[in-house]
Amino acid sequence: MAGGGAKTIAFGLLVLNLVLYIIVSIIAGWAINYDIDNTLLSVTFPVYIFPMYNPIGNMATGFFLIFSLIAGLVGIATSIAGVGNIQKGNVPNLHSAGTYSVITWGLTLLAMGLACKEINIGIQDSILRTLEVLVIILSATQLLCMGAINAGVNEAASHDEYMGGGF
């Protein structure tokens, strides 16, 4: 990228998202482990109806935790790959980073929708509230990251055209 402004912003957002996705994965993994441990100790009526019974949440918590964990792990992988692609800075690598970013944003939006549903139902633990807030923040920062990567693609493409290069 010619000026490097979009590259710096995208790199910073990818590192921020990497840290946040690691935190989301740790919290979601802990909550799933806690739920499994406590459900096995006391098998109650909701377990027969819904196998993802959560003693610390409501009926949306099971889906929210699973999709938060999936979004977190995919976010970690794509943030690491995106950092490497941003470092190279050419158009094909930036397109690859943009694709990773779109996939991660879609999964994060799915987890955010479930977080909103869980907030709507009510009765959450403080750990779940923290996870909900982090997922909502990540959906916004991932959107900003997508925009920065797209700006970097446009910047790199115009620089390649100006320099007479190409693919």
Side-chain angles (χ1 to χ4, degrees):
M1 290 180 257
K7 180 179 178 180
T8 305
I9 292 170
F11 182 80
L13 284 170
L14 279 171
V15 171
L16 173 68
N17 285 349
L18 176 64
V19 171
L20 289 175
Y21 278 122
I22 289 171
I23 294 169
V24 163
S25 297
I26 289 170
I27 293 173
W30 172 85
I32 290 171
N33 184 41
Y34 179 83
D35 291 343
I36 289 171
D37 288 344
N38 287 334
T39 302
L40 291 178
L41 293 175
S42 62
V43 177
T44 59
F45 181 66
V47 175
Y48 299 117
I49 296 173
F50 188 64
M52 289 291 301
Y53 173 69
N54 296 91
I56 61 172
N58 52 40
M59 294 305 279
T61 304
F63 289 117
F64 170 63
L65 290 177
I66 294 295
F67 283 107
S68 294
L69 186 62
I70 291 171
L73 294 176
V74 170
I76 290 170
T78 59
S79 294
I80 291 171
V83 165
N85 287 330
I86 295 284
Q87 290 282 327
K88 292 177 185 167
N90 57 10
V91 176
N93 285 332
L94 290 174
H95 279 295
S96 177
T99 303
Y100 296 155
S101 184
V102 168
I103 291 168
T104 305
W105 185 58
L107 287 170
T108 307
L109 281 181
L110 181 61
M112 186 196 76
L114 290 165
C116 293
K117 182 64 178 176
E118 188 178 35
I119 291 169
N120 189 23
I121 293 173
I123 311 170
Q124 302 97 287
D125 189 47
S126 61
I127 296 292
L128 292 177
R129 283 191 207 126
T130 303
L131 187 60
E132 291 162 357
V133 167
L134 284 174
V135 167
I136 291 170
I137 290 170
L138 269 169
S139 65
T141 59
Q142 191 66 31
L143 179 65
L144 292 174
C145 184
M146 281 184 354
I149 291 173
N150 186 35
V153 169
N154 293 337
E155 204 174 285
S158 66
H159 182 263
D160 282 350
E161 288 175 6
Y162 176 73
M163 298 301 282
F167 297 105

PDB file of all heavy atoms in Angstrom, residues 142-158:
ATOM      1  N   GLN A 142     -14.837  -5.631  13.936  1.00  0.00           N
ATOM      2  CA  GLN A 142     -14.621  -6.449  12.740  1.00  0.00           C
ATOM      3  C   GLN A 142     -15.138  -5.723  11.501  1.00  0.00           C
ATOM      4  O   GLN A 142     -14.539  -5.807  10.441  1.00  0.00           O
ATOM      5  CB  GLN A 142     -15.294  -7.807  12.900  1.00  0.00           C
ATOM      6  CG  GLN A 142     -14.918  -8.814  11.864  1.00  0.00           C
ATOM      7  CD  GLN A 142     -13.465  -9.239  11.936  1.00  0.00           C
ATOM      8  OE1 GLN A 142     -12.868  -9.271  12.999  1.00  0.00           O
ATOM      9  NE2 GLN A 142     -12.892  -9.556  10.795  1.00  0.00           N
ATOM     10  N   LEU A 143     -16.239  -4.989  11.640  1.00  0.00           N
ATOM     11  CA  LEU A 143     -16.752  -4.182  10.531  1.00  0.00           C
ATOM     12  C   LEU A 143     -15.748  -3.087  10.158  1.00  0.00           C
ATOM     13  O   LEU A 143     -15.478  -2.847   8.975  1.00  0.00           O
ATOM     14  CB  LEU A 143     -18.103  -3.573  10.890  1.00  0.00           C
ATOM     15  CG  LEU A 143     -18.751  -2.682   9.838  1.00  0.00           C
ATOM     16  CD1 LEU A 143     -19.099  -3.489   8.594  1.00  0.00           C
ATOM     17  CD2 LEU A 143     -19.982  -2.008  10.408  1.00  0.00           C
ATOM     18  N   LEU A 144     -15.178  -2.423  11.156  1.00  0.00           N
ATOM     19  CA  LEU A 144     -14.154  -1.408  10.889  1.00  0.00           C
ATOM     20  C   LEU A 144     -12.928  -2.016  10.224  1.00  0.00           C
ATOM     21  O   LEU A 144     -12.325  -1.416   9.329  1.00  0.00           O
ATOM     22  CB  LEU A 144     -13.756  -0.705  12.184  1.00  0.00           C
ATOM     23  CG  LEU A 144     -14.811   0.180  12.839  1.00  0.00           C
ATOM     24  CD1 LEU A 144     -14.316   0.680  14.188  1.00  0.00           C
ATOM     25  CD2 LEU A 144     -15.167   1.335  11.932  1.00  0.00           C
ATOM     26  N   CYS A 145     -12.561  -3.208  10.666  1.00  0.00           N
ATOM     27  CA  CYS A 145     -11.414  -3.898  10.081  1.00  0.00           C
ATOM     28  C   CYS A 145     -11.667  -4.228   8.613  1.00  0.00           C
ATOM     29  O   CYS A 145     -10.781  -4.078   7.768  1.00  0.00           O
ATOM     30  CB  CYS A 145     -11.117  -5.154  10.886  1.00  0.00           C
ATOM     31  SG  CYS A 145      -9.663  -6.042  10.347  1.00  0.00           S
ATOM     32  N   MET A 146     -12.903  -4.668   8.295  1.00  0.00           N
ATOM     33  CA  MET A 146     -13.250  -4.940   6.899  1.00  0.00           C
ATOM     34  C   MET A 146     -13.120  -3.677   6.056  1.00  0.00           C
ATOM     35  O   MET A 146     -12.617  -3.723   4.930  1.00  0.00           O
ATOM     36  CB  MET A 146     -14.677  -5.479   6.795  1.00  0.00           C
ATOM     37  CG  MET A 146     -14.816  -6.908   7.143  1.00  0.00           C
ATOM     38  SD  MET A 146     -16.460  -7.622   6.929  1.00  0.00           S
ATOM     39  CE  MET A 146     -17.523  -6.307   6.507  1.00  0.00           C
ATOM     40  N   GLY A 147     -13.578  -2.565   6.593  1.00  0.00           N
ATOM     41  CA  GLY A 147     -13.464  -1.300   5.866  1.00  0.00           C
ATOM     42  C   GLY A 147     -12.023  -0.885   5.649  1.00  0.00           C
ATOM     43  O   GLY A 147     -11.657  -0.403   4.567  1.00  0.00           O
ATOM     44  N   ALA A 148     -11.184  -1.075   6.668  1.00  0.00           N
ATOM     45  CA  ALA A 148      -9.770  -0.710   6.528  1.00  0.00           C
ATOM     46  C   ALA A 148      -9.063  -1.605   5.515  1.00  0.00           C
ATOM     47  O   ALA A 148      -8.228  -1.134   4.728  1.00  0.00           O
ATOM     48  CB  ALA A 148      -9.074  -0.799   7.883  1.00  0.00           C
ATOM     49  N   ILE A 149      -9.391  -2.887   5.520  1.00  0.00           N
ATOM     50  CA  ILE A 149      -8.778  -3.797   4.541  1.00  0.00           C
ATOM     51  C   ILE A 149      -9.234  -3.433   3.133  1.00  0.00           C
ATOM     52  O   ILE A 149      -8.436  -3.425   2.191  1.00  0.00           O
ATOM     53  CB  ILE A 149      -9.099  -5.261   4.885  1.00  0.00           C
ATOM     54  CG1 ILE A 149      -8.365  -5.670   6.165  1.00  0.00           C
ATOM     55  CG2 ILE A 149      -8.715  -6.191   3.742  1.00  0.00           C
ATOM     56  CD1 ILE A 149      -8.746  -7.026   6.691  1.00  0.00           C
ATOM     57  N   ASN A 150     -10.511  -3.079   2.967  1.00  0.00           N
ATOM     58  CA  ASN A 150     -11.010  -2.677   1.650  1.00  0.00           C
ATOM     59  C   ASN A 150     -10.326  -1.397   1.181  1.00  0.00           C
ATOM     60  O   ASN A 150      -9.983  -1.263   0.004  1.00  0.00           O
ATOM     61  CB  ASN A 150     -12.522  -2.496   1.694  1.00  0.00           C
ATOM     62  CG  ASN A 150     -13.101  -2.222   0.329  1.00  0.00           C
ATOM     63  OD1 ASN A 150     -12.624  -2.748  -0.666  1.00  0.00           O
ATOM     64  ND2 ASN A 150     -14.124  -1.395   0.279  1.00  0.00           N
ATOM     65  N   ALA A 151     -10.122  -0.459   2.092  1.00  0.00           N
ATOM     66  CA  ALA A 151      -9.396   0.759   1.731  1.00  0.00           C
ATOM     67  C   ALA A 151      -7.961   0.429   1.332  1.00  0.00           C
ATOM     68  O   ALA A 151      -7.408   1.033   0.406  1.00  0.00           O
ATOM     69  CB  ALA A 151      -9.409   1.742   2.898  1.00  0.00           C
ATOM     70  N   GLY A 152      -7.373  -0.546   2.014  1.00  0.00           N
ATOM     71  CA  GLY A 152      -6.018  -0.966   1.660  1.00  0.00           C
ATOM     72  C   GLY A 152      -5.959  -1.628   0.297  1.00  0.00           C
ATOM     73  O   GLY A 152      -4.991  -1.463  -0.441  1.00  0.00           O
ATOM     74  N   VAL A 153      -6.991  -2.404  -0.045  1.00  0.00           N
ATOM     75  CA  VAL A 153      -7.039  -3.029  -1.371  1.00  0.00           C
ATOM     76  C   VAL A 153      -7.114  -1.948  -2.437  1.00  0.00           C
ATOM     77  O   VAL A 153      -6.395  -1.995  -3.440  1.00  0.00           O
ATOM     78  CB  VAL A 153      -8.244  -3.995  -1.481  1.00  0.00           C
ATOM     79  CG1 VAL A 153      -8.457  -4.432  -2.918  1.00  0.00           C
ATOM     80  CG2 VAL A 153      -8.045  -5.199  -0.595  1.00  0.00           C
ATOM     81  N   ASN A 154      -7.982  -0.964  -2.235  1.00  0.00           N
ATOM     82  CA  ASN A 154      -8.110   0.122  -3.213  1.00  0.00           C
ATOM     83  C   ASN A 154      -6.807   0.907  -3.334  1.00  0.00           C
ATOM     84  O   ASN A 154      -6.392   1.281  -4.428  1.00  0.00           O
ATOM     85  CB  ASN A 154      -9.255   1.052  -2.828  1.00  0.00           C
ATOM     86  CG  ASN A 154     -10.598   0.376  -2.934  1.00  0.00           C
ATOM     87  OD1 ASN A 154     -10.762  -0.598  -3.660  1.00  0.00           O
ATOM     88  ND2 ASN A 154     -11.572   0.891  -2.192  1.00  0.00           N
ATOM     89  N   GLU A 155      -6.156   1.137  -2.196  1.00  0.00           N
ATOM     90  CA  GLU A 155      -4.898   1.873  -2.187  1.00  0.00           C
ATOM     91  C   GLU A 155      -3.804   1.088  -2.913  1.00  0.00           C
ATOM     92  O   GLU A 155      -3.050   1.643  -3.706  1.00  0.00           O
ATOM     93  CB  GLU A 155      -4.505   2.123  -0.726  1.00  0.00           C
ATOM     94  CG  GLU A 155      -3.600   3.291  -0.492  1.00  0.00           C
ATOM     95  CD  GLU A 155      -3.408   3.516   0.993  1.00  0.00           C
ATOM     96  OE1 GLU A 155      -4.335   4.021   1.653  1.00  0.00           O
ATOM     97  OE2 GLU A 155      -2.328   3.167   1.483  1.00  0.00           O
ATOM     98  N   ALA A 156      -3.724  -0.213  -2.645  1.00  0.00           N
ATOM     99  CA  ALA A 156      -2.699  -1.042  -3.280  1.00  0.00           C
ATOM    100  C   ALA A 156      -2.965  -1.190  -4.775  1.00  0.00           C
ATOM    101  O   ALA A 156      -2.024  -1.192  -5.575  1.00  0.00           O
ATOM    102  CB  ALA A 156      -2.648  -2.416  -2.610  1.00  0.00           C
ATOM    103  N   ALA A 157      -4.229  -1.317  -5.155  1.00  0.00           N
ATOM    104  CA  ALA A 157      -4.559  -1.452  -6.571  1.00  0.00           C
ATOM    105  C   ALA A 157      -4.213  -0.179  -7.329  1.00  0.00           C
ATOM    106  O   ALA A 157      -3.668  -0.227  -8.434  1.00  0.00           O
ATOM    107  CB  ALA A 157      -6.029  -1.795  -6.743  1.00  0.00           C
ATOM    108  N   SER A 158      -4.516   0.980  -6.760  1.00  0.00           N
ATOM    109  CA  SER A 158      -4.185   2.234  -7.431  1.00  0.00           C
ATOM    110  C   SER A 158      -2.674   2.427  -7.489  1.00  0.00           C
ATOM    111  O   SER A 158      -2.144   2.965  -8.464  1.00  0.00           O
ATOM    112  CB  SER A 158      -4.873   3.411  -6.743  1.00  0.00           C
ATOM    113  OG  SER A 158      -4.352   3.585  -5.442  1.00  0.00           O
TER     114      SER A 158
END
